[in-house]
Amino acid sequence: MHASFHFYDYQSLAVTSMTLQLTLSFSLCHVSGLSLNMAHKLVQVTLCLWVFTSLLLPSPTAGLYRVSLKKQRLNLNRFKAARIAMSGGGMLHNYGSSDGEVIPLKNYMDAQYYGVIAIGSPPQNFTVLFDTGSSNLWVPSSKCYFSIACYFHSKYKSSRSSTYTKIGKPCEINYGSGSISGFFSQDNVEVGGVVVRDQVFVEATREGSFPTFVLAKFDGILGLGFQEISVGNATPVWYNMLNQDVVREDVFSFWLNRDPSANEGGELVFGGVDPKHYKGKHTYVPVTRKGYWQFDMGDFLIGNNSTGVCEGGCAAIVDSGTSLLAGPTAVVTEINHAIGAEGVVSAECKEVVSQYGDLIWELLVSGVQPDKVCTQIGLCVLNGTRYMSSGIKTVVEKENMEGLSAGDQLLCTTCQMTVFWIQSQLKQKGTKDTVLNYVNELCQSLPSPMGESVIDCARISLMPDITFIIGDKPFKLTPDQYIVKMGEGITTVCVSGFMALDVSPPRGPLWILGDVFMGVYHTVFDYGNLEIGFAEAA
């Protein structure tokens, strides 16, 4: 509250100062005008108008509130752990579940960018991850006694805050590879120099002992997603900033510094955009579904070739809570093959190609619909009846696969990917032998269940560009931008920035655009117009 008064006092002083300047400028212009001849009066009037305009119009960065972001260098062991957690169902595993409830299930071990906020009066500082993929604010509580993670991070002490209000309602936030639980409280929260009054947040009394929160550089998470995915329907911090009129525009924006040697990791700006953070103009696309910052993405290209997976459109989410790019397994496998990423040699995949490749080719050439091929050759069977796949590039939902053994499920899914790859090559007029050899090579590039995708750093210059079509415009990532480098000098390890994530229709296929993408393209989150904007980052 004390900080709030300082904020408003500063505004009053600024207004008073502007009034005095306007009065003085008008007096000078008026007196000077009387002493000049008519030839000079036009110049004087022009000068006066320029003075008034300069004083009345705010600068492009006036009214913006900034949070300086720190950047953590990725560590190979943490990176692999993040990928293992994700492959085990950590990230958005139940995205768009059948009961309609959308809960942000994520993994944060690979998070890189975070900043400082303060809670309470006097303020207690916390380092938080600003996450557009979730909507709650939580920090460790002083009442967290039995979780190892709490002993490594700052804890909120309600007894030391004069603006604290008890709520006490228990809650739990699931993150796939673990969860945090605690209770709701209310207090003032300072973000970027502005105080948000009476903010409801979670005091975490238990954090999963898995490495995510134990090793994390941040204490808690501040969600910037929509209230639709807020656990307990708590009003997000961003909503309260708008409700309390503390920002000029209903917009916030991220600039992530890609210079690994820079001290500044980037900047999160509330209330608008900083022109110094980007080049050219933003391309805006509408938010298609509130919850996550989700939009429709067009085609996806490897080099100059379409993968075909998003020709009919794909859902995509911009997520500042992950450093990676995630997409359908079939496409990530093609990327791995193109860049020479090492994966697990899939015996099942090669078996499908060797035994059924010719038949799949003939069925596709004869005009059989791709989503019916695997049912016709008997690799997708459900309770004695043919299983009709809803898309060769999707993972069959669990409730629809209960009649299949694990091996049958794997063969069915592998067949669907094989059909997709062959169909994609058919469009490029490849011969049967050439196509089947290529598909056999793709089997070796299937993403490893353990997440290994280390590549030869010397080959980066030979790798293809990857292009996302957004708003009918190409957004290209060069190999230097989508390959993640860890370590320095002779210890440098290069890892693919792409991970596999399969989401069934109607919510999928789905792409997650994390910090790898946001570092290249300055991102604007326009809540007022429900749009997301991308421009080349400065």
Side-chain angles (χ1 to χ4, degrees):
M1 184 68 71
H2 183 65
S4 287
F5 284 132
H6 274 275
F7 168 68
Y8 288 115
D9 286 346
Y10 176 79
Q11 278 195 324
S12 300
L13 286 171
V15 171
T16 303
S17 174
M18 181 179 289
T19 304
L20 289 171
Q21 290 179 60
L22 282 170
T23 304
L24 179 59
S25 299
F26 178 80
S27 299
L28 287 172
C29 291
H30 180 69
V31 172
S32 298
L34 290 176
S35 62
L36 294 173
N37 59 34
M38 291 299 292
H40 292 162
K41 279 189 176 181
L42 182 59
V43 176
Q44 186 64 24
V45 169
T46 303
L47 178 61
C48 292
L49 289 174
W50 177 82
V51 172
F52 294 152
T53 303
S54 300
L55 292 169
L56 289 173
L57 292 180
S59 71
T61 58
L64 302 183
Y65 299 96
R66 307 164 185 271
V67 178
S68 179
L69 300 178
K70 301 175 184 177
K71 182 179 181 180
Q72 169 186 323
R73 291 185 67 90
L74 282 177
N75 171 278
L76 183 60
N77 291 329
R78 289 170 57 83
F79 184 81
K80 284 189 176 183
R83 295 171 74 98
I84 293 170
M86 185 171 175
S87 66
M91 188 174 184
L92 300 171
H93 179 64
N94 71 336
Y95 185 87
S97 57
S98 57
D99 59 5
E101 184 179 12
V102 181
I103 299 176
L105 304 186
K106 296 164 59 61
N107 179 280
Y108 292 104
M109 284 196 68
D110 57 342
Q112 284 185 277
Y113 296 91
Y114 43 87
V116 177
I117 66 168
I119 303 178
S121 305
Q124 302 173 39
N125 289 342
F126 298 91
T127 298
V128 296
L129 176 72
F130 292 94
D131 179 25
T132 59
S134 66
S135 299
N136 290 87
L137 168 61
W138 68 263
V139 294
S141 172
S142 60
K143 299 177 177 63
C144 180
Y145 304 118
F146 303 109
S147 291
I148 297 175
C150 289
Y151 288 94
F152 291 90
H153 296 98
S154 301
K155 294 185 283 290
Y156 171 74
K157 302 174 178 64
S158 59
S159 60
R160 297 186 180 180
S161 175
S162 60
T163 47
Y164 162 75
T165 300
K166 180 179 179 179
I167 297 178
K169 180 182 176 182
C171 72
E172 182 174 1
I173 303 177
N174 295 301
Y175 290 105
S177 49
S179 64
I180 67 103
S181 60
F183 56 89
F184 285 107
S185 292
Q186 180 178 294
D187 208 333
N188 291 350
V189 176
E190 183 179 347
V191 184
V194 63
V195 174
V196 180
R197 301 182 304 277
D198 304 326
Q199 174 64 45
V200 174
F201 66 101
V202 177
E203 288 192 52
T205 56
R206 183 182 64 80
E207 298 181 30
S209 58
F210 59 99
T212 298
F213 298 125
V214 174
L215 300 178
K217 293 292 185 180
F218 52 87
D219 302 313
I221 294 171
L222 191 154
L224 292 169
F226 292 90
Q227 191 166 359
E228 280 77 357
I229 58 170
S230 176
V231 174
N233 199 36
T235 304
V237 173
W238 169 241
Y239 280 49
N240 278 331
M241 293 177 79
L242 300 178
N243 295 337
Q244 296 174 22
D245 293 324
V246 297
V247 290
R248 188 180 68 190
E249 297 180 35
D250 298 355
V251 171
F252 63 89
S253 55
F254 274 90
W255 171 69
L256 304 182
N257 192 346
R258 290 178 290 127
D259 182 356
S261 62
N263 293 325
E264 184 182 20
E267 204 164 53
L268 167 59
V269 177
F270 291 102
V273 298
D274 188 336
K276 296 178 181 179
H277 286 166
Y278 62 92
K279 303 174 185 177
K281 294 183 178 180
H282 288 83
T283 296
Y284 284 90
V285 289
V287 172
T288 54
R289 184 164 184 173
K290 291 172 71 176
Y292 306 95
W293 286 89
Q294 180 175 329
F295 64 97
D296 284 338
M297 188 178 78
D299 206 356
F300 178 86
L301 310 178
I302 300 177
N304 296 319
N305 299 318
S306 168
T307 61
V309 72
C310 289
E311 283 184 335
C314 280
I317 291 170
V318 192
D319 186 358
S320 62
T322 179
S323 66
L324 306 175
L325 294 157
T329 300
V331 183
V332 172
T333 301
E334 289 196 64
I335 296 171
N336 279 352
H337 178 264
I339 66 178
E342 298 173 2
V344 170
V345 178
S346 171
E348 292 82 3
C349 181
K350 291 199 169 192
E351 179 184 348
V352 169
V353 176
S354 63
Q355 292 190 22
Y356 301 98
D358 287 327
L359 180 55
I360 291 172
W361 173 276
E362 297 301 335
L363 288 173
L364 289 172
V365 169
S366 67
V368 175
Q369 292 297 310
D371 62 352
K372 292 182 168 60
V373 170
C374 293
T375 63
Q376 289 199 17
I377 63 179
L379 290 183
C380 291
V381 182
L382 179 60
N383 292 331
T385 60
R386 301 302 183 190
Y387 173 74
M388 302 297 288
S389 171
S390 56
I392 54 177
K393 49 192 174 292
T394 66
V395 169
V396 184
E397 296 182 49
K398 284 184 178 180
E399 59 267 28
N400 292 333
M401 294 289 282
E402 292 176 353
L404 299 179
S405 67
D408 289 337
Q409 290 181 31
L410 184 56
L411 282 174
C412 177
T413 302
T414 303
C415 177
Q416 291 175 352
M417 284 191 292
T418 302
V419 170
F420 168 73
W421 291 330
I422 293 177
Q423 177 72 6
S424 176
Q425 291 301 304
L426 268 173
K427 294 178 181 179
Q428 299 180 35
K429 312 295 185 183
T431 64
K432 182 168 73 170
D433 289 342
T434 302
V435 170
L436 293 181
N437 285 335
Y438 172 72
V439 171
N440 202 50
E441 291 176 4
L442 287 179
C443 288
Q444 297 183 210
S445 300
L446 278 169
S448 166
M450 298 304 289
E452 295 109 351
S453 57
V454 176
I455 64 171
D456 183 357
C457 295
R459 295 190 67 254
I460 290 180
S461 62
L462 305 175
M463 296 176 189
D465 294 336
I466 303 295
T467 304
F468 297 87
I469 304 299
I470 301 173
D472 295 325
K473 294 184 179 180
F475 287 82
K476 182 175 67 176
L477 295 180
T478 65
D480 281 322
Q481 293 166 341
Y482 66 74
I483 296 299
V484 180
K485 293 182 179 180
M486 303 177 192
E488 297 178 357
I490 60 173
T491 63
T492 299
V493 176
C494 294
V495 181
S496 170
F498 288 90
M499 295 182 67
L501 173 69
D502 290 296
V503 178
S504 299
R507 297 303 298 267
L510 178 72
W511 280 94
I512 305 291
L513 306 184
D515 297 340
V516 168
F517 186 86
M518 293 176 66
V520 181
Y521 295 104
H522 179 260
T523 309
V524 176
F525 298 84
D526 189 335
Y527 180 83
N529 295 313
L530 288 180
E531 292 180 326
I532 309 168
F534 303 101
E536 183 183 353

